[in-house]
Amino acid sequence: MRSLPDPGFAGDDGSVDPRLSTALAAYDQAPEADEADRRHAALAVLQDARVVVPVVAVLGEVEHDEQGLARDKTSDMAAVLMTGRDGRTALLAFTGSASLARWNPEARPVPVPLRQAAQAALQDGAAALLLDVAGPVLFVVEGEELGALASGHRLVRVEDHWGWASAGG
């Protein structure tokens, strides 16, 4: 009998970590003056979170029968990239199975640490990681933040400032 490797989330029922939902809600409700601080606070919780990356079937080859009707011959599973109005792409990720189901109830959830999702986004040529596109709180990780998280850097608060610390010291 073949066994699947443990993804490291034993007992995960797909729920959102309450600390993460609280941090994202605070970010979403933050007055403009506090937005950057609340964003960093949410990102500091998110960096340790499990996210769910959707995987969907993508049609590969098609064959046609004698009446000309098309039938799936092959299909592949793929992570989902979304293209914004500005032409940049983002890898989709979700805080839990409920927010994934709001977006697409047929997508298969793949639980991964946020760092792995950030790495996948960069490997796929995406400019961002788009979290919870269907709500409850849309959150985008891009630019320096995306690269830092993918590299394993940690966002830390020192006194009243936020900064990136390298994993090596």
Side-chain angles (χ1 to χ4, degrees):
M1 172 185 254
R2 213 171 115 194
S3 66
L4 296 174
D6 180 3
F9 302 104
D12 186 353
D13 65 0
S15 299
V16 180
D17 179 334
R19 294 174 307 132
L20 181 56
S21 60
T22 299
L24 289 172
Y27 159 74
D28 194 41
Q29 299 300 315
E32 198 170 306
D34 294 338
E35 185 176 353
D37 188 56
R38 298 288 175 105
R39 174 175 177 72
H40 287 115
L43 198 55
V45 175
L46 183 60
Q47 69 188 350
D48 294 320
R50 175 274 294 137
V51 295
V52 178
V53 174
V55 176
V56 296
V58 177
L59 183 60
E61 294 181 51
V62 176
E63 66 181 12
H64 294 83
D65 64 17
E66 30 312 317
Q67 286 83 30
L69 297 175
R71 273 189 283 180
D72 295 1
K73 187 173 180 183
T74 63
S75 64
D76 297 306
M77 299 302 286
V80 179
L81 293 173
M82 182 175 275
T83 303
R85 290 184 185 144
D86 62 2
R88 295 182 309 149
T89 58
L91 179 72
L92 295 187
F94 296 86
T95 54
S97 56
S99 56
L100 170 64
R102 271 195 297 278
W103 171 72
N104 181 347
E106 295 181 19
R108 292 186 181 181
V110 177
V112 297
L114 181 81
R115 178 180 182 195
Q116 189 175 341
Q119 290 170 337
L122 293 176
Q123 288 171 353
D124 286 344
L129 183 65
L130 180 57
L131 193 67
D132 287 346
V133 68
V137 177
L138 178 72
F139 195 84
V140 179
V141 181
E142 60 188 333
E144 176 187 316
E145 294 172 347
L146 184 62
L149 290 169
S151 296
H153 290 63
R154 308 269 314 150
L155 184 61
V156 295
R157 187 177 186 112
V158 179
E159 295 179 14
D160 61 344
H161 299 297
W162 291 93
W164 292 101
S166 72

